[in-house]
Amino acid sequence: MSMKLIKDLWKRLLRPDACSHTKKLLFEFVEGELTPETHHKLEKHIGTCPPCLDYVNSYRRTIVMTHHHGLPEEPMPPALKQKLCEFIKQNPDLK
Amino acid sequence: MLMSKTDAQIDDVQLVARLKKRDRSALEELVQVHGAKMYGVALQFMRNETDAREVMQDALVSIWNKIASFEGKSAFTSWIYRVTANAGLMALRKKKRHENDISLDAVGSDDDDAPLPALQLSDKKPLPDKIVMTGELGEQVRAAIDQLPEPYRVAVLLRDVEELPMAEVMQETGLTEPALKSRLHRARLALREALLPYLKGQDIQKS
């Protein structure tokens, strides 16, 4: 995102359509990629706008949930463990 | 019996030392100790046990060949899961099995702001806390990830599940930074939409 675009967005953050900027800058906001000034302005808006707060929080929680639950919790089949051990013993690349 | 974190870390140090000395039995021990998580990574990429096994085999060969380059700057577990994720990514590329996925063209370009098609979960009603804690939530999250078109699924797995740095995901996927960000953002929005009932009861506003 160019500096000019960020500055333009920053200037408009306190206008009534600030909610649209929450969506536009959501990724950069959550990833901490905005300038401190822009981040602060957006944070200020989000703090006073319940729908934006819910939106940002649900996006953040999605990332957290994805991280915590993204991998299968089922155990490795015992037969697979056995096959891998045989693979290790027999594979010529593992010398 | 559960090992303390310290014991596990000490064991990993010894495991690495044995691997560097070309002790092949250390690889078998690695499968015993870390195989379950490696399998989880491989399975999430490949979606079936047969392909997951091949990914694990490729990962074991990579670990064996690259162990000399492991300097211990990151946790050994993080390193082997990254190697496994990379093996999964390579396998997906090799396999080119896109027939069951929605192609990228079908869902628009990376610059397109349109959301991905709605993901179909088995039950989108809010779950009681007790059930959420028992693992059904995990099933719903994995089901949602599984339904993402492959390029988006890979971005989410590497960045949000494995938590690889953006630069590393760009390197692994060959994507430019804007393309990766766009892909990741759209995938997160699709997951958010699918998981809204589980995110915070009924109080969360839809976009």
Side-chain angles (χ1 to χ4, degrees), chain A residues 31 33 58-59 70 94, chain B residues 24 44 159 181 185 188 192:
Chain A
E31 293 285 332
E33 293 181 352
S58 64
Y59 186 88
L94 300 174
Chain B
R24 198 147 57 161
Q44 190 60 291
R159 176 62 180 157
K181 286 181 177 178
H185 185 52
R188 286 172 178 176
R192 173 188 169 273

Side-chain angles (χ1 to χ4, degrees), chain A residues 29-90:
Chain A
F29 180 74
V30 169
E31 293 285 332
E33 293 181 352
L34 295 173
T35 63
E37 201 173 18
T38 306
H39 186 94
H40 176 72
K41 291 288 180 187
L42 188 56
E43 199 169 44
K44 192 173 176 183
H45 166 71
I46 291 168
T48 59
C49 178
C52 281
L53 182 62
D54 278 344
Y55 186 61
V56 172
N57 283 343
S58 64
Y59 186 88
R60 280 188 166 136
R61 282 196 293 273
T62 299
I63 298 169
V64 173
M65 261 190 195
T66 303
H67 175 65
H68 286 298
H69 300 287
L71 292 182
E73 292 162 0
E74 54 197 278
M76 182 163 60
L80 174 57
K81 202 176 279 187
Q82 182 64 32
K83 283 176 184 171
L84 288 172
C85 287
E86 287 169 13
F87 170 81
I88 291 167
K89 284 177 182 148
Q90 296 168 5

